mmCIF file of all heavy atoms in Angstrom:
data_model
loop_
_atom_site.group_PDB
_atom_site.id
_atom_site.type_symbol
_atom_site.label_atom_id
_atom_site.label_comp_id
_atom_site.label_asym_id
_atom_site.label_seq_id
_atom_site.Cartn_x
_atom_site.Cartn_y
_atom_site.Cartn_z
ATOM 1 N N ALA A 1280 -16.653 -16.725 -3.583
ATOM 2 C CA ALA A 1280 -15.378 -17.110 -2.923
ATOM 3 C C ALA A 1280 -15.528 -18.584 -2.358
ATOM 4 O O ALA A 1280 -14.585 -19.354 -2.475
ATOM 5 C CB ALA A 1280 -15.043 -16.256 -1.819
ATOM 6 N N VAL A 1281 -16.732 -18.914 -1.923
ATOM 7 C CA VAL A 1281 -17.006 -20.303 -1.400
ATOM 8 C C VAL A 1281 -17.015 -21.200 -2.617
ATOM 9 O O VAL A 1281 -16.351 -22.377 -2.548
ATOM 10 C CB VAL A 1281 -18.401 -20.312 -0.675
ATOM 11 C CG1 VAL A 1281 -18.795 -21.870 -0.511
ATOM 12 C CG2 VAL A 1281 -18.432 -19.636 0.522
ATOM 13 N N LYS A 1282 -17.496 -20.814 -3.793
ATOM 14 C CA LYS A 1282 -17.506 -21.693 -4.961
ATOM 15 C C LYS A 1282 -16.012 -21.952 -5.342
ATOM 16 O O LYS A 1282 -15.730 -22.970 -5.978
ATOM 17 C CB LYS A 1282 -18.180 -21.055 -6.118
ATOM 18 C CG LYS A 1282 -19.709 -21.090 -5.894
ATOM 19 C CD LYS A 1282 -20.365 -20.300 -7.071
ATOM 20 C CE LYS A 1282 -21.864 -20.120 -6.856
ATOM 21 N NZ LYS A 1282 -22.538 -19.353 -7.938
ATOM 22 N N ALA A 1283 -15.113 -20.993 -5.099
ATOM 23 C CA ALA A 1283 -13.659 -21.140 -5.409
ATOM 24 C C ALA A 1283 -12.975 -21.979 -4.381
ATOM 25 O O ALA A 1283 -11.764 -22.075 -4.521
ATOM 26 C CB ALA A 1283 -13.123 -19.792 -5.637
ATOM 27 N N GLY A 1284 -13.581 -22.528 -3.353
ATOM 28 C CA GLY A 1284 -13.024 -23.334 -2.391
ATOM 29 C C GLY A 1284 -12.812 -22.708 -1.018
ATOM 30 O O GLY A 1284 -12.279 -23.337 -0.160
ATOM 31 N N GLY A 1285 -13.343 -21.561 -0.735
ATOM 32 C CA GLY A 1285 -13.114 -20.955 0.540
ATOM 33 C C GLY A 1285 -14.141 -21.543 1.619
ATOM 34 O O GLY A 1285 -15.147 -22.164 1.258
ATOM 35 N N ASP A 1286 -13.910 -21.189 2.818
ATOM 36 C CA ASP A 1286 -14.657 -21.686 4.011
ATOM 37 C C ASP A 1286 -15.661 -20.621 4.370
ATOM 38 O O ASP A 1286 -15.258 -19.500 4.674
ATOM 39 C CB ASP A 1286 -13.731 -21.915 5.182
ATOM 40 C CG ASP A 1286 -14.615 -22.390 6.399
ATOM 41 O OD1 ASP A 1286 -15.244 -21.584 7.104
ATOM 42 O OD2 ASP A 1286 -14.622 -23.617 6.689
ATOM 43 N N ARG A 1287 -16.993 -20.924 4.325
ATOM 44 C CA ARG A 1287 -18.024 -19.814 4.377
ATOM 45 C C ARG A 1287 -17.868 -19.089 5.699
ATOM 46 O O ARG A 1287 -18.040 -17.872 5.759
ATOM 47 C CB ARG A 1287 -19.399 -20.466 4.240
ATOM 48 C CG ARG A 1287 -20.452 -19.310 4.289
ATOM 49 C CD ARG A 1287 -21.904 -19.849 4.511
ATOM 50 N NE ARG A 1287 -22.845 -18.770 4.419
ATOM 51 C CZ ARG A 1287 -22.971 -17.876 5.407
ATOM 52 N NH1 ARG A 1287 -22.263 -17.846 6.417
ATOM 53 N NH2 ARG A 1287 -23.918 -16.873 5.216
ATOM 54 N N GLN A 1288 -17.660 -19.782 6.839
ATOM 55 C CA GLN A 1288 -17.611 -19.125 8.139
ATOM 56 C C GLN A 1288 -16.446 -18.287 8.246
ATOM 57 O O GLN A 1288 -16.570 -17.133 8.783
ATOM 58 C CB GLN A 1288 -17.640 -20.197 9.271
ATOM 59 C CG GLN A 1288 -18.759 -21.220 9.271
ATOM 60 C CD GLN A 1288 -20.102 -20.523 9.109
ATOM 61 O OE1 GLN A 1288 -20.349 -19.580 9.850
ATOM 62 N NE2 GLN A 1288 -20.963 -21.010 8.319
ATOM 63 N N GLU A 1289 -15.359 -18.692 7.719
ATOM 64 C CA GLU A 1289 -14.100 -17.801 7.713
ATOM 65 C C GLU A 1289 -14.291 -16.573 6.890
ATOM 66 O O GLU A 1289 -13.987 -15.487 7.234
ATOM 67 C CB GLU A 1289 -12.885 -18.557 7.333
ATOM 68 C CG GLU A 1289 -12.468 -19.713 8.336
ATOM 69 C CD GLU A 1289 -11.257 -20.417 7.811
ATOM 70 O OE1 GLU A 1289 -10.672 -20.100 6.708
ATOM 71 O OE2 GLU A 1289 -10.853 -21.414 8.524
ATOM 72 N N LEU A 1290 -14.879 -16.757 5.659
ATOM 73 C CA LEU A 1290 -15.143 -15.695 4.771
ATOM 74 C C LEU A 1290 -16.146 -14.631 5.333
ATOM 75 O O LEU A 1290 -15.919 -13.431 5.216
ATOM 76 C CB LEU A 1290 -15.636 -16.211 3.460
ATOM 77 C CG LEU A 1290 -14.597 -17.008 2.556
ATOM 78 C CD1 LEU A 1290 -15.247 -17.725 1.499
ATOM 79 C CD2 LEU A 1290 -13.552 -16.090 2.082
ATOM 80 N N HIS A 1291 -17.131 -15.204 6.004
ATOM 81 C CA HIS A 1291 -18.215 -14.347 6.629
ATOM 82 C C HIS A 1291 -17.490 -13.411 7.628
ATOM 83 O O HIS A 1291 -17.849 -12.154 7.723
ATOM 84 C CB HIS A 1291 -19.275 -15.253 7.264
ATOM 85 C CG HIS A 1291 -20.430 -14.355 7.799
ATOM 86 N ND1 HIS A 1291 -20.327 -13.729 9.113
ATOM 87 C CD2 HIS A 1291 -21.655 -14.019 7.369
ATOM 88 C CE1 HIS A 1291 -21.487 -13.165 9.322
ATOM 89 N NE2 HIS A 1291 -22.279 -13.252 8.267
ATOM 90 N N GLU A 1292 -16.686 -14.019 8.531
ATOM 91 C CA GLU A 1292 -15.994 -13.163 9.498
ATOM 92 C C GLU A 1292 -15.061 -12.134 8.880
ATOM 93 O O GLU A 1292 -15.020 -10.972 9.370
ATOM 94 C CB GLU A 1292 -15.266 -14.047 10.521
ATOM 95 C CG GLU A 1292 -14.367 -13.406 11.552
ATOM 96 C CD GLU A 1292 -15.287 -12.463 12.402
ATOM 97 O OE1 GLU A 1292 -16.542 -12.700 12.553
ATOM 98 O OE2 GLU A 1292 -14.822 -11.506 12.994
ATOM 99 N N LYS A 1293 -14.378 -12.625 7.873
ATOM 100 C CA LYS A 1293 -13.398 -11.667 7.192
ATOM 101 C C LYS A 1293 -14.135 -10.464 6.517
ATOM 102 O O LYS A 1293 -13.753 -9.365 6.729
ATOM 103 C CB LYS A 1293 -12.589 -12.409 6.151
ATOM 104 C CG LYS A 1293 -11.444 -11.564 5.598
ATOM 105 C CD LYS A 1293 -10.483 -11.168 6.788
ATOM 106 C CE LYS A 1293 -9.345 -10.349 6.158
ATOM 107 N NZ LYS A 1293 -8.371 -9.864 7.165
ATOM 108 N N ILE A 1294 -15.254 -10.804 5.836
ATOM 109 C CA ILE A 1294 -16.025 -9.734 5.160
ATOM 110 C C ILE A 1294 -16.704 -8.817 6.164
ATOM 111 O O ILE A 1294 -16.858 -7.638 5.910
ATOM 112 C CB ILE A 1294 -16.956 -10.339 4.124
ATOM 113 C CG1 ILE A 1294 -17.067 -9.412 2.959
ATOM 114 C CG2 ILE A 1294 -18.354 -10.595 4.762
ATOM 115 C CD1 ILE A 1294 -17.689 -10.046 1.740
ATOM 116 N N ARG A 1295 -17.006 -9.361 7.290
ATOM 117 C CA ARG A 1295 -17.540 -8.577 8.389
ATOM 118 C C ARG A 1295 -16.538 -7.477 8.864
ATOM 119 O O ARG A 1295 -16.862 -6.313 9.041
ATOM 120 C CB ARG A 1295 -18.114 -9.354 9.504
ATOM 121 C CG ARG A 1295 -18.833 -8.565 10.687
ATOM 122 C CD ARG A 1295 -19.003 -9.408 11.887
ATOM 123 N NE ARG A 1295 -17.823 -9.774 12.602
ATOM 124 C CZ ARG A 1295 -17.242 -8.876 13.423
ATOM 125 N NH1 ARG A 1295 -17.788 -7.687 13.692
ATOM 126 N NH2 ARG A 1295 -16.136 -9.126 14.032
ATOM 127 N N GLU A 1296 -15.307 -8.004 9.105
ATOM 128 C CA GLU A 1296 -14.199 -7.104 9.585
ATOM 129 C C GLU A 1296 -13.945 -6.051 8.496
ATOM 130 O O GLU A 1296 -13.871 -4.820 8.865
ATOM 131 C CB GLU A 1296 -12.999 -7.901 9.795
ATOM 132 C CG GLU A 1296 -13.066 -8.873 10.915
ATOM 133 C CD GLU A 1296 -11.844 -9.768 11.059
ATOM 134 O OE1 GLU A 1296 -10.913 -9.570 10.218
ATOM 135 O OE2 GLU A 1296 -11.819 -10.623 11.921
ATOM 136 N N LEU A 1297 -13.862 -6.388 7.276
ATOM 137 C CA LEU A 1297 -13.556 -5.430 6.151
ATOM 138 C C LEU A 1297 -14.740 -4.430 6.012
ATOM 139 O O LEU A 1297 -14.435 -3.258 5.653
ATOM 140 C CB LEU A 1297 -13.338 -6.204 4.826
ATOM 141 C CG LEU A 1297 -12.114 -7.183 4.818
ATOM 142 C CD1 LEU A 1297 -12.038 -7.865 3.454
ATOM 143 C CD2 LEU A 1297 -10.837 -6.356 5.118
ATOM 144 N N SER A 1298 -15.997 -4.874 6.241
ATOM 145 C CA SER A 1298 -17.056 -3.968 6.133
ATOM 146 C C SER A 1298 -17.048 -2.967 7.206
ATOM 147 O O SER A 1298 -17.333 -1.699 6.987
ATOM 148 C CB SER A 1298 -18.403 -4.777 6.248
ATOM 149 O OG SER A 1298 -18.550 -5.688 5.102
ATOM 150 N N MET A 1299 -16.607 -3.308 8.357
ATOM 151 C CA MET A 1299 -16.488 -2.332 9.486
ATOM 152 C C MET A 1299 -15.404 -1.247 9.150
ATOM 153 O O MET A 1299 -15.577 -0.160 9.439
ATOM 154 C CB MET A 1299 -16.116 -3.046 10.763
ATOM 155 C CG MET A 1299 -17.167 -4.011 11.293
ATOM 156 S SD MET A 1299 -18.756 -3.027 11.847
ATOM 157 C CE MET A 1299 -19.823 -4.371 12.242
ATOM 158 N N GLN A 1300 -14.279 -1.755 8.586
ATOM 159 C CA GLN A 1300 -13.238 -0.820 8.200
ATOM 160 C C GLN A 1300 -13.745 0.129 7.143
ATOM 161 O O GLN A 1300 -13.513 1.350 7.199
ATOM 162 C CB GLN A 1300 -12.061 -1.655 7.686
ATOM 163 C CG GLN A 1300 -11.338 -2.495 8.636
ATOM 164 C CD GLN A 1300 -10.129 -3.246 8.040
ATOM 165 O OE1 GLN A 1300 -9.445 -2.673 7.072
ATOM 166 N NE2 GLN A 1300 -9.847 -4.491 8.601
ATOM 167 N N ALA A 1301 -14.478 -0.405 6.168
ATOM 168 C CA ALA A 1301 -14.929 0.476 5.089
ATOM 169 C C ALA A 1301 -16.017 1.439 5.680
ATOM 170 O O ALA A 1301 -16.084 2.624 5.290
ATOM 171 C CB ALA A 1301 -15.554 -0.352 3.987
ATOM 172 N N GLY A 1302 -16.793 0.973 6.640
ATOM 173 C CA GLY A 1302 -17.740 1.872 7.289
ATOM 174 C C GLY A 1302 -17.144 2.992 7.955
ATOM 175 O O GLY A 1302 -17.580 4.171 7.789
ATOM 176 N N ALA A 1303 -16.083 2.665 8.641
ATOM 177 C CA ALA A 1303 -15.281 3.725 9.366
ATOM 178 C C ALA A 1303 -14.641 4.735 8.339
ATOM 179 O O ALA A 1303 -14.623 5.876 8.530
ATOM 180 C CB ALA A 1303 -14.231 3.138 10.322
ATOM 181 N N HIS A 1304 -14.216 4.222 7.170
ATOM 182 C CA HIS A 1304 -13.563 4.935 6.214
ATOM 183 C C HIS A 1304 -14.561 6.040 5.726
ATOM 184 O O HIS A 1304 -14.152 7.234 5.444
ATOM 185 C CB HIS A 1304 -13.136 4.061 5.019
ATOM 186 C CG HIS A 1304 -12.143 4.698 4.135
ATOM 187 N ND1 HIS A 1304 -12.501 5.040 2.845
ATOM 188 C CD2 HIS A 1304 -10.828 5.010 4.215
ATOM 189 C CE1 HIS A 1304 -11.443 5.575 2.171
ATOM 190 N NE2 HIS A 1304 -10.398 5.628 3.080
ATOM 191 N N VAL A 1305 -15.805 5.597 5.603
ATOM 192 C CA VAL A 1305 -16.894 6.498 5.149
ATOM 193 C C VAL A 1305 -17.340 7.464 6.188
ATOM 194 O O VAL A 1305 -17.345 8.733 6.042
ATOM 195 C CB VAL A 1305 -18.054 5.795 4.608
ATOM 196 C CG1 VAL A 1305 -19.262 6.695 4.228
ATOM 197 C CG2 VAL A 1305 -17.694 4.915 3.396
ATOM 198 N N LYS A 1306 -17.661 6.920 7.407
ATOM 199 C CA LYS A 1306 -18.268 7.709 8.436
ATOM 200 C C LYS A 1306 -17.364 8.674 9.257
ATOM 201 O O LYS A 1306 -17.651 9.653 9.740
ATOM 202 C CB LYS A 1306 -19.223 6.843 9.276
ATOM 203 C CG LYS A 1306 -20.438 6.272 8.564
ATOM 204 C CD LYS A 1306 -21.331 5.570 9.473
ATOM 205 C CE LYS A 1306 -20.920 4.128 9.645
ATOM 206 N NZ LYS A 1306 -21.881 3.308 10.367
ATOM 207 N N VAL A 1307 -16.239 7.904 9.559
ATOM 208 C CA VAL A 1307 -15.250 8.605 10.425
ATOM 209 C C VAL A 1307 -14.364 9.570 9.578
ATOM 210 O O VAL A 1307 -14.159 10.767 10.030
ATOM 211 C CB VAL A 1307 -14.396 7.647 11.283
ATOM 212 C CG1 VAL A 1307 -13.397 8.352 12.100
ATOM 213 C CG2 VAL A 1307 -15.294 6.783 12.113
#
C-alpha cells in the first residue's frame, strides 16, 4: 500500500484497528 502511494504511519494505525476487529471476530 505504501508503494501505491499511501502514508505508512496512517496505514499502520488503520491496519492495527482492523486487526483488533478481526481478532474480536475470532475470539469473541
Side-chain angles (χ1 to χ4, degrees):
V1281 169
K1282 289 177 186 177
D1286 180 283
R1287 187 196 182 283
Q1288 302 309 315
E1289 292 179 3
L1290 291 169
H1291 184 278
E1292 176 58 25
K1293 187 62 179 178
I1294 213 162
R1295 186 189 70 82
E1296 293 174 1
L1297 297 177
S1298 295
M1299 293 296 177
Q1300 291 179 36
H1304 196 251
V1305 172
K1306 290 186 281 189
V1307 177

